[in-house]
Amino acid sequence: EDQVTQSPEALRLQEGESSSLNCSYTVSGLRGLFWYRQDPGKGPEFLFTLYSAGEEKEKERLKATLTKKESFLHITAPKPEDSATYLCARTSGSRLTFGEGTQLTVNP
Amino acid sequence: EAQVTQNPRYLITVTGKKLTVTCSQNMNHEYMSWYRQDPGLGLRQIYYSMNVEVTDKGDVPEGYKVSRKEKRNFPLILESPSPNQTSLYFCASSWRLAGRPYQETQYFGPGTRLLVL
């Protein structure tokens, strides 16, 4: 069974305080690992796709990395507008399995 | 504007009264999918469709039906809703780059909040 586990469940940071979110997943049959951002009351917004161990992608203050068992979303010098729930998901074909998300709050 | 639309956005109904939530996309995407989101359980895939007349079950299909008669539309049907189907529902669509999973750059709709009494 495909599984995705995210940690921590919630994270509070001060503006400018860098940190990382973790996503661990079942390895078997992995074809892609995705990161999404979700704001309250809205649908998830696509951020990154990673396909193979060692791959990295960046967008503004966010950088996603992938190892054989985990993915990390690094947030460098976050701003209050980065506050959101960050979702990790994996696909082994046409089905997509999400983690429960990490709720990030960045205080000014 | 490229978008996925869902209707209605909010719905209160009673147990057993059939309902349909519509989903439409204007991006000519092949792949469409329905999810439900519940506190503590995250987003779970209900059904997906890789093209017209091609649908398949996700992780939680019980109590739901779908159809894909046109490329742009993918309605979610609850034949006999029950209180445990109270949830926030999202429709999503995406195209497929050659050799890549369908879910890359998946666009989500705004969500439909359903309460079944």
Side-chain angles (χ1 to χ4, degrees), chain A residues 31-32 34 36 38 41-46 49 51 57 87 91 93-100, chain B residues 31 35 37 40-41 43 45 48 50 57-59 90 96 99-101 103-106 108-110:
Chain A
R31 292 194 58 197
F34 303 86
Y36 288 84
Q38 186 175 23
K42 294 190 176 181
E45 177 187 343
F46 172 79
T49 309
Y51 293 103
K57 289 191 178 173
L87 302 171
T91 182
S94 300
R95 292 170 65 167
L96 191 60
T97 302
F98 280 86
E100 291 184 34
Chain B
Y31 182 94
Y35 301 86
Q37 188 171 34
L41 297 174
L43 270 163
Q45 193 171 35
Y48 61 93
M50 290 190 283
K57 297 177 181 178
D59 294 318
F90 289 103
R96 187 181 187 188
R100 295 289 179 91
Q103 295 83 9
E104 182 156 347
T105 320
Q106 191 163 189
F108 280 79

Side-chain angles (χ1 to χ4, degrees), chain A residues 2-4 6 34-39 42-46 85-90 95-101, chain B residues 6 33-46 58-60 87-92 106 108-112:
Chain A
D2 295 344
Q3 288 195 348
V4 177
Q6 293 186 245
F34 303 86
W35 283 97
Y36 288 84
R37 169 190 170 129
Q38 186 175 23
D39 293 302
K42 294 190 176 181
E45 177 187 343
F46 172 79
T85 296
Y86 291 86
L87 302 171
C88 173
R90 60 150 285 164
R95 292 170 65 167
L96 191 60
T97 302
F98 280 86
E100 291 184 34
Chain B
Q6 295 179 226
S33 183
W34 275 102
Y35 301 86
R36 61 177 289 173
Q37 188 171 34
D38 303 287
L41 297 174
L43 270 163
R44 294 178 292 168
Q45 193 171 35
I46 303 171
D59 294 318
V60 288
S87 187
L88 178 58
Y89 291 87
F90 289 103
C91 179
Q106 191 163 189
F108 280 79
T112 294

